[in-house]
Amino acid sequence: MASYDVIIIGAGPGGYVCAIRCAQLGLKTAVVEGRETLGGTCLNVGCIPSKALLHASHMLHEAEQNFEKMGLKGKSPSVDWKQMLAYKDEVIGQNTKGIEFLFKKNKIDWLKGWGSIPEAGKVTVGEETHEARNIVIASGSEPASIPGADVAIDEKVVVTSTGALDLGKIPKSMVVIGGGVIGLEMGSVYARLGTKVTVVEYLDAITPGMDGEVQKTFQRILKKQGLDFVMGAAVHTVQTLKAKARVAYRLRKDDSEHELDADVVLVATGRKPYTEGLGLADLGVEMTPRGQIAVGKDWQTSVKGIYAIGDAIPGPMLAHKAEDEGMAVAELLAGRHGHVNYGVIPGVIYTHPEVATVGETEESLKEQGRAYKVGKFSFMGNGRAKAVFAGDGFVKILADKETDRILGAHVIGPSAGDLIHEVCVAMEFGAAAEDLALTCHAHPTFSEAVREAALACGDGAIHA
Ligand code: NAI
């Protein structure tokens, strides 16, 4: 039996970051992970592999749509799907091995296997039980099925995001259930590779919770890229027929019943916390009504010495939110101060164009009855964006009407996922839109559009 200052269960972005920070702060640290490789869902079957496929398929799209315009003539590349998957797997391997290297460098023990907690202060992995002054649960999430629907997932014809990253061949047709982040990222990949993609979404807008104007612009751009949408449709049955599947849905506006057949059906209707086998019920760990682990302000559960972070607790299911919580808990366990500013957690969709968002939306501000002003700037007025066929989209900054303090920002356009961070830093410092507007931005960059949106919160953008 080994004894540790902290044992972390799960080596995804929450767990591995927490472990590295704990080790850096002098705590004897171990991580329990049952997968063959470190990095959790994000590195193995989520964020990283999907970005590889998004990149590859975007390159194809550029070749097909824009090369000739730039005087680059010749046949468009053909797709070698096996090689594209091999490239994706190579990217996964590089990243997961990178975490293994960081564990060795920081002298973190990897306890291989699936862990459970027989009592506070103890973690069992296989035959062995280890002692830990503190335990951090970072066990992540798994795809949720459609509530009340009849769906059998085989990861071949009816798939979750995991199966969608490893299809045997590029399907001719695909129905995506759910117009959220996973559905639109993976739907984009296959649409660019030639698949006829139809997104079936329960609500009347895609990407729930995002700024309404962004939702509309995003859907219009995706339609232009060839994705079809059936909105306001509740899927209730997915039936597998030989090498095809049939999706049955009811339109909410008139209760009419419809069906769609496709080679592959991607179920992307959300994820749920993964806490199976940990022994939480026997320990008496309090859960929320939604099956998440309930935690206090210090991320401690109802059982002293057991903490939880990431997708297993309430809040957005985002790798970077889990990472921040992991670092904060490590600081607390080392006797220091740990804090996460939940008001400034960006969200990014890695389609083309990218979509990025932080803070309040116009809808949430209206709901709060808060007086605000809007500064908006179109990428059509940005020279760099026009030069690279990326004039679609805009930057929108929301600022307090009286104080000019930035309350939120929403970007749809080139490199939105990177651009959002200057607004995040500004918000962390409680900046006013004028602070961004008065900051010199290099020309020609996409980031000038952020400055222009900030200028539009005051006396006006220059290039509008
Ligand atoms: P999501 O919550 O983003 O979207 C699910 C969608 O499915 C919603 O729009 C919902 O209205 C719809 N839906 C639910 N039931 C339905 C039904 N019966 N018929 C039709 N539509 C239905 O969930 P998603 O895309 O599965 O992602 C899961 C989690 O993973 C999210 O929390 C997301 O933030 C995270 N994620 C983040 C990524 C990123 O940051 N780029 C990438 C991938 C996932």
Side-chain angles (χ1 to χ4, degrees):
M1 183 197 284
S3 181
Y4 294 93
D5 292 319
V6 53
I7 294 182
I8 295 149
I9 301 181
Y16 85 69
V17 166
C18 182
I20 292 171
R21 196 41 142 202
C22 284
Q24 285 172 338
L25 297 177
L27 302 175
K28 190 168 170 351
T29 306
V31 176
V32 186
E33 175 55 61
R35 269 182 211 269
E36 295 292 305
T37 47
L38 300 172
T41 299
C42 173
L43 272 67
N44 288 283
V45 287
C47 323
I48 298 298
S50 61
K51 260 76 274 171
L53 293 184
L54 278 158
H55 176 68
S57 58
H58 177 58
M59 292 293 107
L60 176 68
H61 180 263
E62 284 292 283
E64 286 172 347
Q65 304 292 318
N66 294 328
F67 273 21
E68 235 179 85
K69 293 181 202 155
M70 295 185 279
L72 300 169
K73 299 218 167 168
K75 246 176 60 197
S76 284
S78 60
V79 178
D80 178 344
W81 180 234
K82 268 209 174 107
Q83 178 54 32
M84 199 179 280
L85 292 182
Y87 146 71
K88 177 221 38 168
D89 290 338
E90 172 70 27
V91 171
I92 296 172
Q94 282 170 9
N95 280 277
T96 55
K97 282 192 195 87
I99 308 300
E100 224 174 306
F101 163 78
L102 290 173
F103 272 22
K104 284 191 186 121
K105 182 180 160 199
N106 288 287
K107 302 192 170 46
I108 297 163
D109 286 347
W110 175 4
L111 308 173
K112 293 186 186 179
W114 302 103
S116 61
I117 310 170
E119 60 184 278
K122 289 200 165 70
V123 174
T124 301
V125 186
E127 303 287 293
E128 295 206 24
T129 296
H130 307 268
E131 271 179 3
R133 271 199 306 123
N134 293 292
I135 297 167
V136 180
I137 301 169
S139 51
S141 60
E142 60 179 346
S145 55
I146 308 174
D150 182 11
V151 185
I153 293 184
D154 61 9
E155 295 296 7
K156 284 192 169 61
V157 177
V158 183
V159 300
T160 66
S161 51
T162 303
L165 290 166
D166 234 353
L167 294 180
K169 59 179 186 203
I170 299 169
K172 284 206 175 63
S173 57
M174 175 183 267
V175 168
V176 173
I177 308 175
V181 192
I182 293 180
L184 299 178
E185 285 189 354
M186 292 314 298
S188 282
V189 166
Y190 285 101
R192 291 171 195 162
L193 296 175
T195 305
K196 179 83 217 119
V197 175
T198 308
V199 179
V200 182
E201 166 57 46
Y202 179 80
L203 298 170
D204 296 322
I206 57 171
T207 59
M210 279 214 178
D211 178 89
E213 214 176 345
V214 170
Q215 290 176 329
K216 284 197 193 97
T217 307
F218 189 29
Q219 192 177 354
R220 180 180 52 75
I221 293 172
L222 290 173
K223 272 187 190 160
K224 230 166 64 185
Q225 293 176 4
L227 278 84
D228 276 343
F229 289 89
V230 181
M231 305 302 292
V235 170
H236 55 77
T237 312
V238 182
Q239 194 187 348
T240 313
L241 328 153
K242 281 196 185 155
K244 269 191 181 295
R246 179 162 295 163
V247 174
Y249 61 88
R250 187 172 46 256
L251 280 184
R252 291 196 298 128
K253 63 175 180 206
D254 57 10
D255 266 347
S256 58
E257 286 288 340
H258 303 263
E259 284 179 350
L260 268 173
D261 284 359
D263 295 337
V264 170
V265 173
L266 166 61
V267 181
T269 50
R271 297 179 62 86
K272 58 176 185 196
Y274 178 70
T275 55
E276 215 181 285
L278 292 173
L280 301 186
D282 291 342
L283 279 164
V285 170
E286 208 177 289
M287 308 294 283
T288 71
R290 298 181 60 195
Q292 302 146 319
I293 302 173
V295 291
K297 277 209 171 69
D298 58 354
W299 297 278
Q300 195 159 196
T301 67
S302 56
V303 178
K304 201 169 173 295
I306 302 180
Y307 296 76
I309 58 171
D311 285 7
I313 69 169
M317 288 185 164
L318 296 169
H320 43 281
K321 175 253 192 192
E323 289 179 30
D324 279 27
E325 290 171 344
M327 279 196 279
V329 167
E331 299 282 340
L332 290 175
L333 296 182
R336 296 166 37 152
H337 179 69
H339 175 71
V340 174
N341 180 358
Y342 287 101
V344 187
I345 294 185
V348 179
I349 308 179
Y350 298 88
T351 43
H352 198 85
E354 289 183 351
V355 179
T357 171
V358 66
E360 304 287 353
T361 60
E362 282 202 65
E363 290 75 16
S364 67
L365 289 170
K366 276 181 195 144
E367 222 176 274
Q368 294 164 36
R370 191 157 178 188
Y372 66 95
K373 54 188 171 174
V374 181
K376 201 177 145 194
F377 186 76
S378 162
F379 278 101
M380 283 311 255
N382 178 275
R384 179 74 178 278
K386 275 198 295 221
V388 299
F389 309 105
D392 261 340
F394 56 83
V395 179
K396 176 168 165 180
I397 292 178
L398 306 174
D400 187 279
K401 188 144 194 167
E402 295 304 316
T403 65
D404 195 35
R405 188 180 176 140
I406 301 170
L407 303 174
H410 308 280
V411 186
I412 174 162
S415 299
D418 291 301
L419 296 183
I420 198 75
H421 293 99
E422 80 164 285
V423 187
C424 294
V425 173
M427 286 174 74
E428 281 286 351
F429 282 88
E434 190 184 32
D435 293 317
L436 278 187
L438 290 175
T439 303
C440 184
H441 285 61
H443 176 73
T445 58
F446 301 134
S447 71
E448 286 173 288
V450 178
R451 183 194 201 176
E452 292 270 28
L455 279 163
C457 287
D459 294 327
I462 301 297
H463 295 89

